[in-house]
Amino acid sequence: MALPLRYNWRNLFVRKLSTMLTFIVVAAVVLVLSVLLSFAAGIRASLAVSGCPENVIVLKPGATSESTSVIFPDEVNRIVQAPGIARDASGRLLVSQELCVQATLPRRDNPGAVANVAVRGVDDIGFELHKGVRLVEGRRFRPGALEVVVGKAAHDRYAGLGLGDEVLLGRLRNRRFKVVGVFESGGSALESEIWAPRTSVADSYLRVFCSSALIRLADAGLVPAAIAYINGPAVNLDAKRETDYYKDLSTKTREIVVLTTILVGIMAVGAAFAVANTMYAAVDGRRREIAMLRTIGFSRGAIVVAFLVESLLICTAACLFGLLLSLLIHGSRQDYLSDATWTVLAFELKVTPTTMLVSLSLAAFVALAGALAPAVRASKTNVIEALRKA
Amino acid sequence: MLRLIYLRNNLIRNRLRTLLTCAAVALPIMIYVLSMAVVDGVERFLDNSARQLRLAVTHKTSLVNPLPEGYRRKIESLDPERKGITSVCGMRWLGGKIANDPRPLQTMAIDADTFVATFPEYRLTPEEVAAWQRDRQALVVGRATAAQFGWKVGDRVTIRGSVPPYAPMEFHIISTAERAEDPITLGCRRDYLEEKLKECGYPYGLVSFFFVKCATKADVDRYRVAIDQLFARSPDETRTQDEKAFMSEFVTQQFDLPRRLTILAAVTVFVAVMAAANTMSMNFRDRISEIATLKSMGFGGTFVFTQIQAESLLLCLVGGAVGAWVPYFAFTWTPLKDYTVPVIQVLLIRPAVCMQALVISLLIGIVAAVWPSWAALRLKVVAAMRSLE
């Protein structure tokens, strides 16, 4: 027969200070874990929804991102020969030449600091290829005008990007572009960008050639053939799925995850030691009580379970508290400078269900690892000896 | 003597608890040491930049806009006698990868004639300098990068740049810069890149930034303003900063690592305090009757107070020493020493950081024992004895 849960619960309050200190230790570890994981989750979420499976992005071989790539017009002429390119309703080939440059803009929350924001020059057709892009305020820019639409994340984080504001762009920062719209794209990386007509960008940045070409295939099944064609001798450029391109950009996330795992692992082991310490003290302080329980018929197993449950109670409560604290940062916007594109990528910190599950299992691990040895020791209490001491 | 024996016996009377507490302090201290080593690395990196008395000249509107290479002559003409400006060196970022390997390289194409004078911290030997000047395809590889790729002096490597001309370029490794401050960057000659750019039909004669080595601190301040004035109202205006300011912009933009790691270090220290405080309060509770007895025998409040403090200090100091030594050992003597970290490159754990960790563990010891030792000091003997069974 197991001991009633109520027994464990009330025992926690016998040693209030110890319980509280252990609680704080575990809560702090969970807090660190969930914050670090939510960083990784935020970046991953933003890059995961970027890109569309039927799209293929074409860069110059060797270039690591759109911003370091250059594509010549004759190369574009060869790209459009690729098999399987889809057409829109009016019969235009779905090929978007894009020009990626950057602008240095002050941050909204800290005007002293600046950020390198990506500026993408696109033609009207670009809106067709980037499927998720949807204007939430204002209108699209007119072709060839000095007008921009800005991503929602950029609009929120950088100063001077409100609807109707004028923003200075161009190689010499001397062209006034008017913000005429704000777009959303389901939280993808594009939301950190500023979009302007390609010709205006080319002119303002003295750039003759475009950076990349995006093509849409009629069907996701046609993608491998198109990639093979473009990578082959016919075009000799570097094509990859748009989704893969963004996946490659997220290498930094993997670094964070690795670092997180190491740091949190060390901390978790430390916390397990702290829990073990508390539980040993609890066992030592209750020898007589345990002997009494054994006398009135509770089995060794029941005693082990009782201590494990007690430890689980503290750690789970601490974990929930830690998660609650981490929810405070949920949804806050952060950004980082991608080392591949050299532009900032804004993302939202996300405390995902996975993060919660991982935190809970970490807390459970800490609770069990810390309490197992003390619980076994408790179950081995010599009944007669312990009772005689009374 | 009595105190020491008592202290020792106190620590070994519950060996398990002592051990667990040491571990619970050691592990957070380990994280503290690791994260502060990164912060320290960033600071050392920036300090080196400051010590070198260099100015970084970039395009005014954005780092990614190149400057004409002819600006070098104009900057040099500010000081024809070379009293204030020792040398000017243009650089162009090439990045790059080798074939069939996803690891990115940090290659810079550098003005061959002024590289050695402008960057003395590379500490090239006279033979290496001679090889650098003789061979247009010379490549200086940082020692950590060389170790990662298994390269040695004399090897030929083919690197494909991430920017124009995107073409594979063959280099001859002439040095692995064993004594350089920067163990990552690869340096090649800019004249070789120029030749390749012309061959492939890309725009040439452009540099990403100039580094201007100055003679004194006063010159740094003077030319910082003078260079920008020189190019004011020209098609390509410049932004000149001292090298430390230039570099710290990079560092803070990349995740603002120093600030975040400092927060992490603070949290872990907090965790260690809680773990140690838990032990000390448990010890105190177990020993209330003993402390009351000691007091009734005539040992003063100070005795019990210092005894508890000393126990806590020793406990945390041992934990801290272990926590500081393990990463120090791992990153100084094992293969981990070539592990590269973003931004700061190689994780070097300096004894200073370990000392800092020891001081922190002492503080943890003091804070952890505050409540128990204070309670022991104020313990009412009569009341405590009365509650004895």
Side-chain angles (χ1 to χ4, degrees):
Chain A
M1 196 180 88
L3 282 154
L5 204 57
R6 196 177 147 76
Y7 167 79
N8 299 114
W9 180 250
R10 291 179 63 168
N11 254 321
L12 290 181
F13 295 96
V14 175
R15 299 163 163 267
K16 283 197 200 72
L17 189 67
S18 258
T19 306
M20 205 174 72
L21 290 174
T22 319
F23 180 90
I24 296 177
V25 167
V26 177
V29 173
V30 168
L31 182 63
V32 171
L33 172 76
S34 53
V35 169
L36 289 176
L37 281 182
S38 62
F39 257 91
I43 297 175
R44 211 178 309 125
S46 140
L47 292 175
V49 294
S50 305
C52 153
E54 295 98 50
N55 284 1
V56 168
I57 182 167
V58 186
L59 302 177
K60 185 73 91 191
T64 44
S65 70
E66 288 174 284
S67 48
T68 58
S69 168
V70 171
I71 300 228
F72 301 131
D74 64 308
E75 288 172 325
V76 176
N77 289 342
R78 283 182 273 150
I79 292 169
V80 299
Q81 315 284 328
I85 300 183
R87 289 174 187 275
D88 71 353
S90 59
R92 285 183 302 178
L93 273 179
L94 287 174
V95 175
S96 170
Q97 300 179 49
E98 303 189 353
L99 176 54
C100 290
V101 289
Q102 1 200 300
T104 311
L105 295 179
R107 290 169 181 277
R108 193 173 264 202
D109 51 356
N110 177 10
V114 292
N116 242 5
V117 183
V119 176
R120 186 184 293 270
V122 289
D123 299 321
D124 222 23
I125 199 152
F127 288 91
E128 307 259 329
L129 275 102
H130 294 282
K131 248 188 196 164
V133 171
R134 197 167 53 81
L135 282 168
V136 286
E137 263 180 81
R139 55 173 174 86
R140 278 190 199 175
F141 49 73
R142 282 168 316 187
L146 291 182
E147 292 176 344
V148 295
V149 294
V150 298
K152 204 168 167 303
H155 170 262
D156 290 348
R157 276 193 78 75
Y158 312 114
L161 294 183
L163 204 60
D165 285 354
E166 279 187 340
V167 54
L168 280 174
L169 300 177
R171 184 172 145 86
L172 308 174
R173 283 201 73 195
N174 54 0
R175 296 290 175 87
R176 283 180 189 283
F177 280 72
K178 193 166 182 215
V179 180
V180 296
V182 178
F183 67 87
E184 209 178 62
S185 65
S188 82
L190 297 175
E191 280 186 16
S192 310
E193 299 181 347
I194 297 176
W195 282 18
R198 184 164 63 96
T199 46
S200 315
V201 173
D203 186 48
S204 314
Y205 282 84
L206 309 175
R207 296 276 290 259
V208 187
F209 309 120
C210 62
S211 313
S212 63
L214 190 67
I215 58 177
R216 157 85 52 79
L217 282 306
D219 181 87
L222 298 170
V223 168
I227 290 181
Y229 180 84
I230 295 171
N231 289 350
V235 184
N236 216 353
L237 287 172
D238 181 19
K240 49 180 132 180
R241 285 174 196 271
E242 201 188 12
T243 46
D244 287 345
Y245 171 75
Y246 284 105
K247 213 191 283 164
D248 290 346
L249 284 188
S250 65
T251 38
K252 206 147 210 175
T253 328
R254 280 196 284 278
E255 268 167 29
I256 299 178
V257 171
V258 170
L259 201 73
T260 310
T261 321
I262 296 172
L263 291 181
V264 174
I266 298 175
M267 281 184 91
V269 175
F273 284 128
V275 170
N277 211 352
T278 310
M279 293 316 290
Y280 269 119
V283 171
D284 283 341
R286 270 148 62 184
R287 292 241 163 240
R288 225 188 305 165
E289 195 177 308
I290 296 163
M292 181 62 87
L293 288 172
R294 296 271 287 118
T295 326
I296 59 176
F298 287 101
S299 66
R300 279 171 191 238
I303 305 284
V304 172
V305 171
F307 277 97
L308 292 184
V309 167
E310 208 169 301
S311 165
L312 271 176
L313 273 179
I314 306 183
C315 293
T316 320
C319 173
L320 292 179
F321 183 69
L323 281 175
L324 210 66
L325 284 185
S326 72
L327 278 179
L328 293 179
I329 55 136
H330 176 78
S332 75
R333 269 197 199 284
Q334 300 280 333
D335 60 23
Y336 74 99
L337 189 73
S338 159
D339 53 352
T341 61
W342 208 243
T343 54
V344 283
L345 229 155
F347 62 95
E348 257 178 39
L349 283 187
K350 282 204 162 83
V351 183
T352 57
T354 329
T355 306
M356 295 190 179
L357 269 180
V358 172
S359 307
L360 270 174
S361 22
L362 179 89
F365 161 78
V366 166
L368 296 180
L372 195 61
V376 170
R377 183 199 264 191
S379 73
K380 288 194 178 142
T381 300
N382 185 323
V383 178
I384 310 291
E385 198 111 305
L387 282 177
R388 189 181 297 148
K389 268 196 197 144
Chain B
M1 195 58 210
L2 173 74
R3 281 166 172 267
L4 285 181
I5 296 173
Y6 187 55
L7 181 62
R8 190 194 66 142
N9 285 345
N10 262 339
L11 281 173
I12 59 172
R13 77 160 85 175
N14 194 337
R15 281 162 214 250
L16 188 70
R17 183 179 292 175
T18 306
L19 205 71
L20 288 174
T21 315
C22 274
V25 173
L27 291 162
I29 287 293
M30 205 157 116
I31 298 187
Y32 174 86
V33 169
L34 287 173
S35 30
M36 290 322 275
V38 175
V39 176
D40 175 59
V42 171
E43 266 163 26
R44 244 170 339 107
F45 173 71
L46 294 179
D47 284 347
N48 173 56
S49 295
R51 242 194 341 269
Q52 295 296 340
L53 300 177
R54 277 191 297 250
L55 290 167
V57 184
T58 55
H59 197 283
K60 188 178 179 185
T61 51
S62 169
L63 188 63
V64 294
N65 289 348
L67 291 167
E69 65 178 0
Y71 274 25
R72 179 174 148 185
R73 297 271 168 264
K74 293 190 181 168
I75 295 172
E76 285 169 344
S77 72
L78 282 174
D79 180 28
E81 279 115 55
R82 286 286 183 290
K83 287 210 185 89
I85 294 177
T86 326
S87 58
V88 182
C89 186
M91 270 196 191
R92 181 155 178 173
W93 186 74
L94 186 61
K97 281 177 185 174
I98 55 169
N100 304 322
D101 194 323
R103 289 176 288 182
L105 297 168
Q106 291 303 326
T107 315
M108 306 293 299
I110 307 170
D111 281 353
D113 51 342
T114 47
F115 167 55
V116 179
T118 316
F119 297 92
E121 75 267 33
Y122 271 83
R123 300 197 183 91
L124 299 184
T125 62
E127 298 83 61
E128 287 169 342
V129 172
W132 167 264
Q133 276 155 1
R134 187 176 58 238
D135 185 357
R136 196 200 285 265
Q137 286 165 291
L139 183 71
V140 178
V141 183
R143 62 174 181 282
T145 309
Q148 263 178 19
F149 286 84
W151 292 339
K152 52 190 187 309
V153 173
D155 284 0
R156 284 157 185 262
V157 291
T158 303
I159 296 174
R160 180 170 214 163
S162 317
V163 287
Y166 306 108
M169 291 166 72
E170 190 187 276
F171 295 100
H172 308 149
I173 298 179
I174 56 124
S175 164
T176 48
E178 291 303 326
R179 293 178 302 143
E181 298 275 344
D182 173 357
I184 298 283
T185 310
L186 292 79
C188 69
R189 288 176 51 153
R190 209 169 63 79
D191 44 1
Y192 179 36
L193 174 67
E194 288 292 291
E195 178 189 309
K196 208 74 186 172
L197 282 167
K198 285 177 197 166
E199 195 182 301
C200 299
Y202 283 96
Y204 53 91
L206 299 167
V207 301
S208 308
F209 20 77
F210 289 103
F211 283 101
V212 181
K213 178 103 174 154
C214 297
T216 62
K217 184 85 187 56
D219 292 321
V220 170
D221 293 333
R222 189 150 64 95
Y223 288 110
R224 192 181 61 227
V225 182
I227 292 172
D228 284 350
Q229 276 171 357
L230 176 66
F231 298 111
R233 289 174 297 282
S234 75
D236 292 295
E237 295 192 53
T238 57
R239 174 164 182 236
T240 308
Q241 296 165 280
D242 64 69
E243 197 181 283
K244 183 172 181 175
F246 174 72
M247 290 298 178
S248 47
E249 234 170 57
F250 275 89
V251 173
T252 45
Q253 283 214 47
Q254 294 222 351
F255 274 116
D256 204 354
L257 219 49
R259 196 170 62 90
R260 294 191 206 280
L261 283 176
T262 311
I263 296 174
L264 178 69
V267 173
T268 52
V269 168
F270 174 75
V271 167
V273 170
M274 292 298 143
N278 193 9
T279 302
M280 292 320 291
S281 73
M282 287 190 301
N283 279 346
F284 171 71
R285 191 206 309 273
D286 292 353
R287 295 181 203 156
I288 282 195
S289 58
E290 194 179 305
I291 292 165
T293 316
L294 277 174
K295 281 186 121 178
S296 65
M297 279 160 62
F299 288 99
T302 355
F303 177 82
V304 260
F305 180 84
T306 47
Q307 207 63 38
I308 294 178
Q309 281 286 351
E311 188 180 340
S312 172
L313 277 180
L314 198 62
L315 206 58
C316 293
L317 197 61
V318 172
V322 174
W325 182 79
V326 169
Y328 176 76
F329 176 80
F331 283 94
T332 316
W333 301 107
T334 68
L336 271 178
K337 72 177 180 348
D338 288 323
Y339 176 76
T340 57
V341 193
V343 188
I344 61 141
Q345 315 174 331
V346 168
L347 197 64
L348 179 76
I349 296 177
R350 285 194 310 164
V353 173
C354 297
M355 288 314 293
Q356 211 179 29
L358 286 185
V359 173
I360 298 252
S361 25
L362 278 179
L363 290 178
I364 293 175
I366 294 174
V367 175
V370 162
W371 181 78
S373 55
W374 182 250
L377 186 68
R378 303 294 308 269
L379 189 70
K380 291 276 179 292
V381 177
V382 182
M385 293 290 237
R386 192 182 297 145
S387 70
L388 286 184
E389 294 162 31

